[in-house]
Amino acid sequence: MLLAGLALSVVLSGSIVTAKDNNTKKPQSKNLIVLIGDGMGPAQVSAARLYAKTRMGKEHLNLDAYYVGQATTYADKGEDGGKIVSGAVTDSASAGTAFATGNKTYNAAISVSNEDVSKPYASVIEAAEMSGKSTGLVTTARITHATPAVYASHVRSRDNEAAIASQYLESGVDVLLGGGQQFFLSKDEKGKRSDKSIINDFTAKGYKHVTDAASLKALTSKNSKVIGLFNSSHIAYTPDRDAKTPSLAAMTGKALEVLSSNKNGFAIMIEGGRIDHASHANDFPSTIQETLDFDAAVKVAMDFAKKDGNTSIVITADHETGGLSLSRDNIYELNIDQWGKQKHSSESIANTLKEAGTIADIKKIVAANTGITDLSDEEAQQILDGDGSSYGREGGYNAVISKRLLVGWAGHGHSGVDVGVWAYGPISSKVKGQIDNTGIALASAEIIGVDLKKATAQLQSKHLYPKFKVSREGAVLYPVQALVQALGGKYKSDAAAVILSKGNRTVSINKSTLAVKVNGTAASYKADLDNGAYYLPLDAFSKLTGSALKWDALSERIILK
């Protein structure tokens, strides 16, 4: 069972700030830009800087001059079915919820609380939207992926990307740029693509739909609403892109041009989403290229802010990925000259590696992609054998290449190290030093004068996100004790029965027969008992509350009104 989330306090500028605080102070900036390097830990930044200096003649990254401190990233503790699913090491969903809403939660949660019946938390983007500002989400990952999702949707599981896409339509977010087109195309009952799609619904609401770099570039500030989907899944890695695929910098520049036409200002989140994916795969050369792609977007944002004069920028990461180390095997050197020799990502040759049958095949593939012509039989065999993870031969390839480059990886997952924080404008003083990632959200809301508490209250009056189960007959059932309490009712259990009450209404469950009575009248259904917990259909709770509660099956939430 997921444990209830803890209210956390964050020290900002010498004062205690909590997620419950009302961020309604006079705004110090009209606009807010949040840039997230997904998976971008200290070693990823250092590697990109070393590469830029050695191979590009640049002494510093664009973000270097704005470093103000570091942030902790841990998630709420939680378990599911006896298995620990979150704690000291976060995923992008729980970390994103923290720096978007100011609240901790469990891994996989998209801006909902850590409870059996979760409640939604409003993000700074949603609060900005409610205050009349324009808003945007930009990423090189799927736009329905965890980091953008936490800013404008609410689901118990980040895997429910179809629901996230659907919720974007009602979110009011003005600019959506990234990958993930597959989740905006509907399917018929046989699983085939149908003519009906969410994209049509977006265009009906006035969104301009763009699909490549040229159509993105052609947009002007007159296009106040834009949805740009540039790949079915994630946008291709930097070394694999063609001319039709926009860079993160290009998407950033166009998004800022569109959003800045609103006299009330804007709030936007921009994510370098594929730093994380390259690090998960242990693809070191692609990790560097994705970090540099992100750094180029930082420059676009900084140039805008300096010219505008009324914009705050905060830059951070959700977590580090891979446990990257810039050394290995007790060798006090790095093979930096080889870091830029790889032509394409390991992802792009993964299928070719799978098809290889011999050591000679492997050597040919590696030589073509890296220029390494002296691969040993042992190294080639290591690639053929795979690394024992789900990455298989791609993992074996990256292990061999990483050793050649003199870098190491702890694994294919996340790590719990602190991540950097960079900032520009009035927000800088509010996120400096050692902070928690929740402090990013609280400072962001305060700096543009939007009210997270009020926005959250509005959301919580509309929806609840319960755990649920489906009976053999296909009925959706809900946990009795957790849901009745979330609905403001009372739960009482004695030797013979469970009694639910709210006002003068009651629902009872006979513990022996599981028979249900609603206001004294026998119901047509029985309760379900599972591992000591009772479950009932939504009808019972509607009768108990006197409200016509509805179940949103796509988003897996109860509609309260």
Side-chain angles (χ1 to χ4, degrees), residues 85-99:
V85 296
S86 64
V89 180
T90 189
D91 78 340
S92 295
S94 56
T97 297
F99 57 62

Side-chain angles (χ1 to χ4, degrees), residues 115 140 236 341:
E115 301 170 90
T140 50
K341 297 293 181 68

Side-chain angles (χ1 to χ4, degrees), residues 139-144 177-182 184 228-235 251:
T139 181
T140 50
R142 295 192 292 268
I143 195 67
T144 49
L177 302 177
Q181 186 177 26
Q182 61 182 297
F184 294 81
L229 301 170
F230 306 107
N231 201 19
S232 177
S233 185
H234 305 300
I235 290 177
M251 289 191 285

